[in-house]
Amino acid sequence: MAARKTTEKSNSSKDDLLHYYREMLLIRRFEEKAGQLYGMGLIGGFCHLYIGQEAVVVGLEAAAEEGDKRITSYRDHGHMLACGMDPKGVMAELTGREGGYSRGKGGSMHMFSKEKHFYGGHGIVGAQVPLGAGLAFADKYLDNKRVTFAYFGDGAANQGQVYEAYNMAELWNLPVIFVIENNQYAMGTSMKRSTKSTSLFGRGLAYGIQGEAVDGMDVQAVRAAGEKAIAVCRAGEGPYILEMMTYRYRGHSMSDPAKYRTREEVQKMRDEKDAIEHVRELLLGGGHATDDDLKEIDKEIKLRVNEAAEFAKDSPEPGLAELWTDIYA
Amino acid sequence: MAIEILMPALSPTMEEGTLAKWLVKEGDVVKSGQILAEIETDKATMEFEAVDEGIVGKLLIAEGTAGVKVNTPIAVLVEEGESADAAPAAKVPAAAPVAAAPAPVAVAAAPVAVVSKASADWPEGTPMKTMTVREALREAMSEEMRSTPEVFIMGEEVGEYQGAYKISQGMLDEFGEKRVIDTPITEHGFTGIAVGAAFGGLRPIVEYMTFNFAMQAIDQIINSAAKTLYMSGGQMGCPIVFRGANGAAARVGAQHSQDYAAWYAMVPGLKVVMPYSAADAKGLLKQAIRDNNPVIFLENEILYGRSFEVPDLPDFTIPFGKARIWREGSDVTIVSFGIGMQYALEAADILAKDGISAEVIDLRTLRPIDYDTVLASVMKTNRCVTVEEGWPVGAIGNHLSAEIMMKAFDYLDAPVINCTGKDVPMPYAANLEKLALVTTAEVVEAVKSVCYR
Ligand SMILES: Cc1ncc(C[n+]2csc(CCOP(=O)(O)OP(=O)(O)O)c2C)c(N)n1
Ligand SMILES: [Mg+2]
């Protein structure tokens, strides 16, 4: 793919572009910081970074309305930040502290916020897909015109329960948008080594579900597709599948040696498709912002992330009695 | 010949029913398939059809009678010109066959001498080499794959990635894609395919990235792999090994930190292995691959990198159902398996300094379990503590305690204590995770408690 030209026109407003820029940058800086804290031993276990995929959640959240729900896998930090959860609470959960969204009991892969309608954070590949359809089932039952975004990966797309969920979601016209974040790899397994049915949204057609592939590195395209899918669902004609073509720059988790792809492949994506760089060019090229304006935003974001990290370090470990709480309602 | 019509069982659980209504009367000619009566079962009202043809000679049970036991004669069918009295005298329905070969029910009998099965696993003087558990597992699989063409391994990232935990490192190079098979993330599907392949004559090794993900596939493991030999009257066995990391790793949270030992150990038809040392990992995995039954082989991520002495023998296996006595002692028996052995052995060291001599037994296999070695030890020490990482309800230790109580009650000087993981999902926070796991200190404390010290 050729490098984008800075002269590309955008149909987004200045405010929208600045919003995308801020939100995506927040995720990227947050994730970089999380990587650092992991290296320092402050975060343990599995930690899956979202770097590279920021446009997907930021674009879709821009299309969503208050009350819409979202659910995803263990690669969940970006989703939480994009739906308005506090970076401090997310980071403190990563460090396993009392100030975390699950009071330290869930960790990177298992975080939730009922207030922000974020239903996790799930560690079992594919499990969140029927769960997402179930959230939509509840919305339809309650007739509240909400939609649910059920995010999952290209690897998860091979799990059988995804197709069981597809079948029922279409059968019952559930207002759920299945968002496949196709970053081309499931751990070390590339798409072409795991399936010959490589159009993932196309698989939904067999169940009668409408869908499309979207350039997931282009936040404007993501938002537009999201708006269309949401309209379908709110009209009672869901579900809908969005296959977001995206890419993760980092390893699968912090412990992935990433020998299954070349450094050049990653670099090429960063150079030519980076979603943040894209919006930056639109802002500058469209005369919406100056370099200094953007530097100011960068500073502001850095400060927020540092504050989150400080909070996450200073927040105490959960009290020992917490071991025995929350097992039963 | 007159034919007796018996009260039918019309549901799997029906023992008696109400003869609600006769739809034929004495003297009627009936054809097979004709509805004779309406019968109310415990679940529904059912129509009861005639199987045989003939003339209704006599209705033995009046319409409306409740509580008619299954197999009670309710009518007699006769042939043209035959009298209903020609029917054989109503006899008491044959009782359900009382367990002809009763399952070996443990009876609280006078304690009998039990002989420990534990014995050396290799001849004295065998040369040894140092090896990690990871290398031992890899050697076991590679050796069996070299000698047996039907053996292959499949799972997520076992090939090109060289194994998520590097157990299968190098195996794709040696054995090729036909026998080292990368699967998509589809546990239920590939487990079913592997079980089918075993029915079809192959000997699969299925690697789960961790056993947490085998829960996606547990139906195939239990309903298909474990039960088919029995259901087919012994025709169709399933020689397969399901292996992978089990139990808590470190800080990976509730969905990735669970010990399935007791879950699988409950299932007849499965064999269950949970090694601690590298020698056991190797000898038992080779045995598992040769076994003609489905074997659950529970490894542990934390143990993968630990080194142990392994016998340097060209072909070395360890039979199932034989515990290993790691340390002889006279005051208390500590029984464990898998990573629990680490706490058991550490505790024994600490206790020795306090003058308490602990005998430490590694069960190694949980199905079959070597009861004899445990009982013989308890009869000697008169005290027992069990150690495992899994949850406390329905734990292996619970089962052993019951067995000890039944077989060696009179030998016990104190109740058996089960040291287990706490009764909570695994928390992520470092301080809580530590609390959730069983610890050496808890084992020491339990031993002191059974020793009244
Ligand atoms: C049922 C199950 N099997 C295996 C795993 C181990 N695992 C975690 S993430 C992953 C890869 C998933 O890839 P994909 O769905 O493409 O999502 P991505 O990581 O690329 O976001 C695997 C195999 C798991 N967590 N759950
Ligand atoms: Mg992926």
Side-chain angles (χ1 to χ4, degrees):
Chain A
M1 220 168 294
R4 285 199 190 84
K5 294 189 199 78
T6 37
T7 52
E8 186 190 339
K9 282 259 167 52
S10 156
N11 44 18
S12 301
S13 69
K14 172 182 168 179
D15 283 353
D16 280 347
L17 289 172
L18 283 171
H19 171 78
Y20 301 148
Y21 185 74
R22 273 209 175 82
E23 292 290 295
M24 292 196 290
L25 201 65
L26 172 65
I27 294 174
R28 184 155 306 175
R29 296 287 172 265
F30 181 96
E31 293 292 65
E32 287 164 357
K33 181 59 82 180
Q36 271 175 23
L37 297 189
Y38 193 93
M40 294 161 65
L42 283 160
I43 297 173
F46 291 131
C47 182
H48 309 82
L49 302 183
Y50 196 62
I51 296 178
Q53 302 180 207
E54 298 91 343
V56 176
V57 291
V58 170
L60 288 179
E61 287 297 342
E65 278 176 21
E66 173 55 33
D68 290 342
K69 301 184 168 79
R70 59 285 288 165
I71 186 167
T72 187
S73 70
Y74 45 83
R75 197 180 299 288
D76 55 357
H77 312 163
H79 304 68
M80 293 188 278
L81 297 177
C83 75
M85 288 168 65
D86 183 353
K88 288 183 181 163
V90 178
M91 197 69 96
E93 189 60 40
L94 297 186
T95 52
R97 305 301 174 88
E98 194 180 83
Y101 268 98
S102 300
R103 294 203 304 287
K105 291 158 80 165
S108 163
M109 299 189 286
H110 314 297
M111 253 184 272
F112 306 81
S113 166
K114 206 125 193 230
E115 184 204 345
K116 297 290 178 191
H117 312 288
F118 179 74
Y119 286 82
H122 296 267
I124 301 302
V125 168
Q128 76 273 24
V129 181
L131 298 176
L135 291 168
F137 181 96
D139 282 333
K140 182 168 183 204
Y141 190 99
L142 300 170
D143 197 20
N144 64 13
K145 298 285 175 276
R146 292 290 140 239
V147 307
T148 296
F149 297 92
Y151 292 88
F152 55 105
D154 47 289
N158 289 322
Q159 284 285 34
Q161 60 180 318
V162 170
Y163 299 92
E164 298 180 23
Y166 275 9
N167 188 44
M168 287 178 274
E170 177 63 24
L171 183 66
W172 298 329
N173 287 119
L174 302 182
V176 55
I177 302 171
F178 297 110
V179 184
I180 306 169
E181 295 198 62
N182 184 351
N183 61 11
Q184 304 177 36
Y185 292 92
M187 263 184 89
T189 303
S190 64
M191 273 273 284
K192 65 175 188 306
R193 293 207 305 114
S194 68
T195 187
K196 288 194 176 174
S197 166
T198 50
S199 166
L200 297 180
F201 82 87
R203 296 183 192 176
L205 299 176
Y207 295 85
I209 307 179
Q210 322 166 56
E212 62 193 279
V214 180
D215 181 353
M217 304 300 277
D218 177 349
V219 67
Q220 301 180 99
V222 170
R223 179 179 182 161
E227 282 171 351
K228 183 170 156 197
I230 289 169
V232 167
C233 286
R234 286 213 220 282
E237 286 156 21
Y240 202 93
I241 300 176
L242 294 174
E243 180 179 0
M244 297 293 176
M245 309 310 289
T246 183
Y247 200 78
R248 72 169 150 73
Y249 298 168
R250 295 293 190 90
H252 168 74
S253 68
M254 295 303 295
S255 51
D256 174 18
K259 288 199 187 125
Y260 44 83
R261 61 182 187 187
T262 62
R263 207 166 283 182
E264 290 72 48
E265 178 183 311
V266 182
Q267 196 54 46
K268 195 167 149 67
M269 270 290 178
R270 294 190 98 130
D271 289 346
E272 297 176 4
K273 292 287 291 177
D274 188 72
I276 298 178
E277 209 41 50
H278 179 208
V279 172
R280 186 185 165 82
E281 285 162 9
L282 292 175
L283 279 165
L284 294 172
H288 300 304
T290 63
D291 245 337
D292 283 347
D293 293 340
L294 297 186
K295 270 193 195 125
E296 203 48 47
I297 294 176
D298 295 358
K299 243 206 238 155
E300 185 192 305
I301 299 278
K302 215 171 186 175
L303 192 71
R304 267 185 90 189
V305 168
N306 284 341
E307 277 170 10
E310 288 312 309
F311 177 80
K313 286 185 218 168
D314 295 343
S315 177
E317 289 191 305
L320 298 184
E322 282 284 354
L323 183 65
W324 300 101
T325 62
D326 307 323
I327 298 163
Y328 296 100
Chain B
M1 245 283 283
I3 298 167
E4 276 184 347
I5 298 174
L6 307 180
M7 181 72 168
L10 297 170
S11 87
T13 49
M14 175 176 168
E15 285 170 2
E16 56 177 46
T18 300
L19 208 166
K21 191 171 177 192
W22 278 113
L23 297 174
V24 292
K25 55 184 188 307
E26 288 176 9
D28 282 0
V29 176
V30 297
K31 294 212 186 72
S32 77
Q34 186 176 338
I35 314 290
L36 296 178
E38 282 178 7
I39 290 175
E40 278 172 31
T41 71
D42 47 350
K43 299 212 170 58
T45 299
M46 310 280 291
E47 291 178 336
F48 175 43
E49 293 177 1
V51 178
D52 301 295
E53 318 221 315
I55 298 163
V56 179
K58 199 165 196 164
L59 298 180
L60 302 172
I61 304 279
E63 215 170 73
T65 311
V68 183
K69 295 256 179 297
V70 166
N71 283 338
T72 311
I74 55 174
V76 180
L77 276 192
V78 294
E79 285 170 29
E80 197 64 272
E82 194 184 13
S83 135
D85 300 329
K91 50 181 183 312
V92 186
V98 185
V105 175
V107 181
V112 281
V114 180
V115 183
S116 166
K117 282 198 195 120
S119 58
D121 294 316
W122 50 82
E124 225 175 302
T126 301
M128 304 293 281
K129 56 184 175 181
T130 306
M131 198 184 268
T132 61
V133 170
R134 175 180 281 112
E135 289 160 347
L137 293 167
R138 187 186 304 141
E139 257 194 22
M141 290 194 289
S142 297
E143 286 176 15
E144 293 306 299
M145 283 177 67
R146 280 174 209 132
S147 63
T148 312
E150 289 79 17
V151 179
F152 67 95
I153 175 169
M154 67 166 27
E156 291 158 25
E157 310 288 7
V158 297
E160 287 195 18
Y161 198 82
Q162 308 295 323
Y165 296 102
K166 302 287 171 273
I167 307 302
S168 56
Q169 191 158 39
M171 288 177 65
L172 175 64
D173 276 352
E174 178 175 353
F175 300 104
E177 299 189 327
K178 182 178 171 191
R179 301 180 69 197
V180 179
I181 302 165
D182 279 322
T183 64
I185 311 170
T186 50
E187 289 85 3
H188 197 198
F190 70 70
T191 301
I193 287 176
V195 171
F199 291 161
L202 302 183
R203 306 185 77 83
I205 302 170
V206 175
E207 175 175 307
Y208 295 112
M209 200 172 278
T210 76
F211 261 92
N212 303 289
F213 315 141
M215 273 211 283
Q216 297 283 320
I218 202 164
D219 178 70
Q220 293 289 13
I221 295 173
I222 292 171
N223 271 326
S224 304
K227 298 178 183 172
T228 299
L229 182 69
Y230 193 80
M231 296 187 298
S232 66
Q235 299 173 71
M236 200 177 293
C238 186
I240 193 168
V241 178
F242 302 107
R243 49 157 289 271
N246 169 66
R251 307 287 310 280
V252 292
Q255 292 185 330
H256 285 68
S257 314
Q258 195 171 325
D259 174 15
Y260 292 91
W263 284 50
Y264 289 111
M266 180 181 259
V267 183
L270 293 180
K271 295 191 178 181
V272 182
V273 183
M274 189 150 156
Y276 167 62
S277 75
D280 289 349
K282 182 169 180 192
L284 290 166
L285 183 52
K286 282 169 70 77
Q287 183 76 16
I289 296 168
R290 293 178 192 188
D291 200 289
N292 284 328
N293 297 283
V295 180
I296 302 284
F297 199 92
L298 302 167
E299 301 160 10
N300 185 289
E301 190 189 332
I302 292 165
L303 294 178
Y304 280 150
R306 297 269 167 91
S307 292
F308 294 86
E309 294 294 287
V310 178
D312 196 0
L313 292 169
D315 193 23
F316 153 67
T317 58
I318 294 175
F320 292 170
K322 191 175 115 173
R324 170 171 174 190
I325 300 176
W326 274 75
R327 182 180 174 125
E328 292 196 8
S330 52
D331 296 333
V332 63
T333 301
I334 306 178
V335 187
S336 188
F337 50 93
I339 191 146
M341 283 300 296
Q342 176 182 317
Y343 311 114
L345 290 169
E346 279 172 12
D349 280 342
I350 294 169
L351 290 161
K353 290 184 194 127
D354 283 346
I356 297 176
S357 157
E359 180 143 301
V360 182
I361 296 176
D362 180 356
L363 290 174
R364 305 196 290 193
T365 64
L366 304 175
R367 194 176 256 276
I369 277 191
D370 181 357
Y371 298 111
D372 289 353
T373 298
V374 174
L375 288 170
S377 175
V378 172
M379 287 174 179
K380 178 176 79 174
T381 64
N382 312 112
R383 299 160 205 278
C384 182
V385 167
T386 66
V387 185
E388 67 198 285
E389 201 184 76
W391 285 314
V393 179
I396 298 290
N398 298 168
H399 173 64
L400 281 180
S401 307
E403 199 68 21
I404 293 167
M405 181 181 69
M406 289 189 289
K407 304 268 173 62
F409 186 73
D410 291 343
Y411 288 86
L412 284 177
D413 286 346
V416 177
I417 294 184
N418 299 149
C419 295
T420 65
K422 307 306 177 295
D423 201 12
V424 302
M426 187 64 72
Y428 167 73
N431 62 334
L432 299 185
E433 188 184 58
K434 251 184 236 142
L435 274 187
L437 291 163
V438 62
T439 61
T440 301
E442 286 166 352
V443 180
V444 169
E445 195 187 329
V447 166
K448 288 190 172 167
S449 159
V450 300
C451 292
Y452 302 113
R453 296 262 300 251

